[in-house]
Amino acid sequence: MRPKPRPRLRPPAPSGARRLARRHPGALLALFLCSTGGALAALALPAALGHTVDRLVDGGAVPWAGLLLCAVLTLAETGFDAGAAVLTTSTGARLTAHLRTRTTARVLAAEPRRALAVPSGDLTARLTARTADAATAPVTAAGAVAGVLLPLGAVVGLFVIDPWTAAAFLLGAPLLVALLHTFTRRTADAGADYQRAQSVIAHRLTEALDGADTIRAARTGAREYRRILEPLTTLAAHGRRTWTVYGRAAGQSALLLPLLMLLVLAVGGLRLQAGAIGVGDLVAASRYAALAVGIGSLTGALGALARSRAAARTLDPLLTLDPLPHEGLGPPHGGPGHLELRDVGVVQDGKRQVEQGGKQEDEQGGEALPDGEPDRKPLLTGVHLTVPGGTSLAVVGRSGSGKSVFAAVVGRLLDPDTGTVLLDGIPLTAMEPARLRPEIAYAFARPALPGTTVEDTIAFGPWTAGPAAVREGARAARADGFVGLLPYGYATPLTDAPLSGGERQRLGLARAFAHPGRLLILDDALSGLDTVTEHHVRRALDERAGRCTRVIVAHRLSSAARADQVLWLEDGRVRATGPHEELWADPEYRAVFRTETGEAEEMAEADEGPGAEGALPRARTEVEAR
């Protein structure tokens, strides 16, 4: 068996603040300089103000130079702070966009089975809210310079004016440091738990939206409503915990900081009475004391950094996904699409292992999984098959037999755990994805429709199909008729085009026809078509004989009867292969087509039993997507 190649792409990158900082070093440097400049101006202002007050107390001419210096320092502080605010917002937005793009690219470059180990709702939350939180780390760190420089510089200023006033402040400093340390630790823990509960709700909501039709048909909306909102209790508890941490820190700061300020002023007053310092020095000392106790403003920055670290931990599993391995090869030029499977096997974990801040969760809502090995289910086992180039293969079998897994494996949407899949003699795992993907066209039972207009969604693919190819693909899929009835034809926005399930399937088929390659895979993409439309689509498929290999996951007898070869799967194994006419003699083969039509109804009835609320969305997915 040919060993699987190692990835040639660059290794996965961490999601730390240091890497993000390299994206916009100029903006972060400007933010650092603005924060530093504002802090220095704020530190220089008390000294200038104290000196000016002493000149005024001593009498004589008005110290216009000192007054002007105070005004300049005030304006400089205001200007630097305004610049820092603008840079914080703009740089944070750019870093968020970069992190979202990088994380999404990593997910898309990975094997789908690995990338989709994270439930779709949780994945959406990570790619939106978590990336925004994680991207704030470099900006917060650069802007936090002022929060550190101000209190430290103020303490130095107190020492310069009078060591006794500085000693009075340092007397309570350990309590303030302990307060900040406790706040940071508790905020990080509460923020991570809050994000985890949000992901659970997002996953359950997405699951329910995917199965909305089934839920409506089974009249289990109330149960789904309760199931989705059940984690709100936990979310509220973590929210109250977060605000409790903030409230305690604010209350303790409100008590400690004025006491420190009062202590510094009291010592300064005594030193003034003793003649050790002047009036101007007391004014400057009071200003420095206010800046020194302003260390409490660091709580906001520390809280933001704690949330950023928690969010970055949830992004790490996505950013460390391995890209699809390949050897840089491509399909041979002019190949007929000869497909060969050698001892192919696929094993799927019974439970998804979702990394979520150090905890394992199952795919139904975040409960911790028990220790031990997860259940593993064989989806395909020992599949040997050869499909000559330019011919058609119908894949049949009862639900759960592995038809969609087979369709995913032959087009490299899924890498097998054992065995090899070859296209025109080259293993799929050796081909560079960018060179392989244009050779394979897919159509699904429930196709996604990206793009703004109808023409956009048909043209979407490895390359943007031209107008002629779009219309030819639509004609082959029998979609040109209903598209012509839309308000603006092919230019109709998708949001203004009410589409039935069959019409969506025809647009997906049109997209596949508009991007011809050497391999066309239809994963139950004809299930929503009426008999007449399916007949015309089948004729369009037959016209590609000799030029394109067609793999059709079939539930209808007509699809199997027209295929050159039939693959009959049962429990992930090859039950038989051969022409439909030969297999039809087997009564169990005939029974496959009788049982498939009634299986959706049986699953719906089963879902009405106890515990059905979690199974309803999956039932719709399993019945319609196979």
Side-chain angles (χ1 to χ4, degrees):
M1 182 176 64
R2 184 188 183 99
K4 291 187 176 182
R6 295 181 178 180
R8 296 185 60 188
L9 301 181
R10 59 185 181 182
S15 60
R18 185 176 301 175
R19 177 179 176 83
L20 280 175
R22 299 194 194 106
R23 292 296 305 175
H24 297 286
L28 291 174
L29 177 61
L31 176 58
F32 172 81
L33 293 177
C34 285
S35 300
T36 304
L40 293 176
L43 290 172
L45 182 58
L49 185 61
H51 180 71
T52 303
V53 169
D54 280 339
R55 293 283 302 275
L56 289 172
V57 171
D58 292 341
V62 177
W64 293 110
L67 293 174
L68 180 60
L69 177 60
C70 292
V72 170
L73 291 174
T74 301
L75 292 175
E77 180 183 1
T78 303
F80 280 128
D81 289 345
V86 172
L87 288 170
T88 297
T89 303
S90 59
T91 307
R94 288 198 296 269
L95 290 177
T96 299
H98 164 71
L99 186 56
R100 284 176 179 165
T101 302
R102 185 159 61 95
T103 307
T104 303
R106 180 67 66 172
V107 171
L108 294 177
E111 183 192 359
R113 180 169 50 162
R114 310 299 181 213
L116 297 180
V118 180
S120 56
D122 186 13
L123 181 61
T124 301
R126 296 192 196 192
L127 292 177
T128 53
R130 303 295 176 271
T131 51
D133 289 338
T136 61
V139 176
T140 303
V145 173
V148 176
L149 187 59
L150 281 175
L152 293 180
V155 172
V156 172
L158 287 175
F159 266 109
V160 172
I161 293 173
D162 183 59
W164 288 101
T165 57
F169 174 80
L170 294 178
L171 186 64
L175 295 176
L176 191 57
V177 173
L179 171 64
L180 294 176
H181 174 73
T182 303
F183 169 79
T184 304
R185 178 172 51 83
R186 291 179 177 175
T187 299
D189 294 340
D193 291 339
Y194 190 87
Q195 291 173 354
R196 192 175 298 114
Q198 280 183 318
S199 296
V200 172
I201 295 175
H203 167 55
R204 293 187 179 182
L205 178 60
T206 303
E207 187 182 51
L209 291 174
D210 287 341
D213 292 343
T214 306
I215 294 170
R216 188 182 301 110
R219 297 184 179 180
T220 57
R223 280 186 290 176
E224 283 297 301
Y225 181 83
R226 291 192 298 270
R227 188 178 74 92
I228 294 170
L229 297 185
E230 182 269 333
L232 278 180
T233 303
T234 304
L235 187 70
H238 293 320
R240 287 192 296 269
R241 177 178 158 204
T242 301
W243 285 112
T244 298
V245 172
Y246 273 101
R248 287 179 179 175
Q252 293 168 352
S253 299
L255 177 64
L256 179 60
L257 300 184
L259 289 178
L260 283 175
M261 183 74 176
L262 182 61
L263 181 60
V264 171
L265 291 178
V267 173
L270 293 175
R271 297 292 289 170
L272 175 64
Q273 185 179 11
I277 61 175
V279 175
D281 292 331
L282 181 60
V283 171
S286 65
R287 295 282 299 173
Y288 280 130
L291 294 176
V293 298
I295 194 174
S297 63
L298 278 176
T299 55
L302 292 175
L305 288 173
R307 290 191 300 273
S308 296
R309 292 183 59 187
R313 283 195 295 269
T314 67
L315 296 180
D316 281 339
L318 302 181
L319 289 167
T320 54
L321 286 170
D322 291 329
L324 278 174
H326 64 85
E327 297 178 359
L329 302 180
H333 179 71
H338 182 85
L339 192 62
E340 184 178 358
L341 288 82
R342 300 176 181 173
D343 194 27
V344 168
V346 177
V347 179
Q348 180 74 19
D349 288 351
K351 292 182 179 180
R352 294 185 188 143
Q353 303 294 317
V354 181
E355 186 66 24
Q356 182 66 276
K359 296 184 180 180
Q360 286 183 331
E361 301 176 351
D362 72 9
E363 58 185 10
Q364 287 305 316
E367 295 80 5
L369 295 176
D371 294 334
E373 290 293 327
D375 297 333
R376 297 179 67 84
K377 176 184 176 183
L379 303 181
L380 287 178
T381 304
V383 177
H384 290 272
L385 182 69
T386 298
V387 183
T391 64
S392 60
L393 173 72
V395 186
V396 305
R398 293 182 173 87
S399 294
S401 59
K403 300 187 296 294
S404 287
V405 177
F406 178 88
V409 166
V410 297
R412 210 192 178 187
L413 293 183
L414 179 69
D415 279 344
D417 294 294
T418 60
T420 307
V421 181
L422 300 96
L423 180 62
D424 289 327
I426 306 297
L428 296 185
T429 53
M431 297 189 197
E432 186 178 0
R435 301 171 66 182
L436 170 66
R437 196 51 52 201
E439 301 293 337
I440 302 175
Y442 264 97
F444 301 96
R446 293 186 298 169
L449 300 179
T452 304
T453 65
V454 172
E455 183 167 359
D456 289 342
T457 197
I458 298 176
F460 184 86
W463 68 91
T464 301
V470 167
R471 283 151 182 79
E472 177 59 31
R475 282 191 291 271
R478 301 293 289 182
D480 54 337
F482 76 83
V483 171
L485 298 177
L486 295 175
Y488 304 102
Y490 288 92
T492 303
L494 287 173
T495 53
D496 298 336
L499 301 175
S500 66
E503 289 169 343
R504 295 179 68 90
Q505 278 194 357
R506 278 184 273 174
L507 289 182
L509 285 165
R511 182 170 58 207
F513 286 137
H515 298 84
R518 67 184 71 192
L519 181 60
L520 173 61
I521 303 172
L522 307 185
D523 187 0
D524 202 19
L526 307 178
S527 59
L529 306 184
D530 59 80
T531 304
V532 175
T533 302
E534 182 192 7
H535 172 73
H536 287 286
V537 172
R538 288 293 318 186
R539 289 182 59 184
L541 290 171
D542 292 341
E543 291 174 358
R544 285 159 172 75
R547 297 182 288 116
C548 172
T549 302
R550 291 138 290 148
V551 176
I552 304 163
V553 174
H555 289 273
R556 293 181 178 177
L557 180 63
S558 58
S559 297
R562 296 177 68 108
D564 298 317
Q565 183 180 185
V566 175
L567 170 65
W568 178 14
L569 293 175
E570 188 172 278
D571 296 328
R573 297 180 179 272
V574 178
R575 175 69 182 268
T577 59
H580 171 76
E581 293 78 8
E582 295 181 4
L583 298 179
W584 189 251
D586 190 331
E588 293 189 25
Y589 175 77
R590 296 196 299 269
V592 169
F593 297 96
R594 291 198 299 269
T595 58
E596 281 293 331
T597 57
E599 185 165 309
E601 298 177 1
E602 294 174 5
M603 292 186 68
E605 293 174 0
D607 283 336
E608 293 179 359
E613 63 270 24
L616 283 170
R618 293 193 303 278
R620 181 173 186 260
T621 300
E622 291 169 0
V623 172
E624 297 185 3
R626 265 195 297 266

